[in-house]
Amino acid sequence: MVGPDNIQQHRTPVYLASSASAQIIADVALCPFEAVKVRIQAQPAFAKGLFDGFPRMYSSGGFLGLYKGLLPLWGRNLPFSMIMFSSFEHLVDLMYKHAIQRQKADCPKGVQLGVTCVAGYLSGSIGTIVSNPADNIVTSLYNNKAHNFVQAIRKIGLFGLFTRSLPLRVMLVGPVITMQWFIYDTIKVMIGLPTSGGIDHHIAGQ
């Protein structure tokens, strides 16, 4: 739709739209599992696990009961995924253009995987920081500490939205995202595909 001639100019909207679309579809599949998990966490006697939790959840709330948490789930996951994937693409591009100053195809596979790890950690941390308010609101709603978004914001407070649990989330999410990108790109390299991210630029002097 954008075309190779326009991708450089419109790449950020493409990154955001692609990541948002992927997360929306993924959350539709994930939501029933999340609903059962949260119910069991809140009421341990409700079920022993997913196997018996699904039919009990369906009998008590029907099909819609499995998806009543879809909007909060989108509220938590969409900001993170959009920022994380977009940041990753831009960071990889900037590292090859300004730090390494070589085309990705001209770099050894070890260097490419190193770029993946650095960009993965930084993008995961950036996504965590930006999505922290949404995560705190959704956590409050899931734990029944608030009945709606406005009440959750009032209870947590503006400062708490951006700071509560942030150091712990960065410490946990950063390495996890790094490992996900590293394993993903390692498999791609093993089967002969290029690593993820980056738009090749003409490097002056080459």
Side-chain angles (χ1 to χ4, degrees):
M1 295 175 62
V2 178
D5 296 332
N6 298 319
I7 188 62
Q8 182 67 29
Q9 181 181 357
H10 302 289
R11 56 183 175 156
T12 297
V14 170
Y15 297 154
L16 294 174
S18 300
S19 56
S21 301
Q23 191 64 58
I24 287 171
I25 295 171
D27 283 347
V28 170
L30 174 65
C31 193
F33 296 91
E34 183 77 7
V36 175
K37 183 199 76 171
V38 171
R39 184 69 177 270
I40 293 174
Q41 288 176 336
Q43 303 175 17
F46 177 75
K48 295 180 180 179
L50 293 175
F51 186 74
D52 59 335
F54 268 114
R56 292 185 181 183
M57 193 78 175
Y58 181 79
S59 62
S60 64
F63 181 78
L64 293 179
L66 294 172
Y67 283 94
K68 66 179 182 180
L70 182 59
L71 290 179
L73 195 64
W74 280 339
R76 181 181 65 186
N77 292 345
L78 274 174
F80 174 81
S81 292
M82 293 172 69
I83 297 300
M84 188 271 290
F85 279 102
S86 179
S87 297
F88 179 86
E89 295 283 352
H90 284 292
L91 285 166
V92 170
D93 196 39
L94 288 172
M95 289 174 68
Y96 282 115
K97 183 178 180 181
H98 297 291
I100 301 175
Q101 297 186 347
R102 295 172 64 186
Q103 302 281 10
K104 180 169 67 173
D106 298 332
C107 295
K109 297 301 182 183
V111 172
Q112 295 183 31
L113 291 174
V115 170
T116 292
C117 289
V118 174
Y121 184 84
L122 292 175
S123 63
S125 299
I126 294 170
T128 299
I129 293 170
V130 173
S131 66
N132 200 59
D135 185 77
N136 280 320
I137 292 172
V138 171
T139 300
S140 180
L141 293 173
Y142 269 137
N143 293 334
N144 294 320
K145 294 181 179 179
H147 298 293
N148 54 59
F149 282 87
V150 175
Q151 189 179 44
I153 293 172
R154 288 176 177 173
K155 285 192 172 184
I156 298 171
L158 187 61
F159 182 77
L161 281 176
F162 288 91
T163 59
R164 180 184 292 182
S165 73
L166 180 60
L168 179 61
R169 288 190 68 220
V170 171
M171 184 177 66
L172 294 176
V173 174
V176 169
I177 297 299
T178 302
M179 288 304 301
Q180 288 176 338
W181 279 113
F182 177 72
I183 294 171
Y184 176 66
D185 271 358
T186 297
I187 295 174
K188 289 177 67 176
V189 168
M190 290 174 62
I191 62 176
L193 295 175
T195 55
S196 303
I199 298 176
D200 283 339
H201 293 274
H202 173 72
I203 307 298
Q206 289 193 341

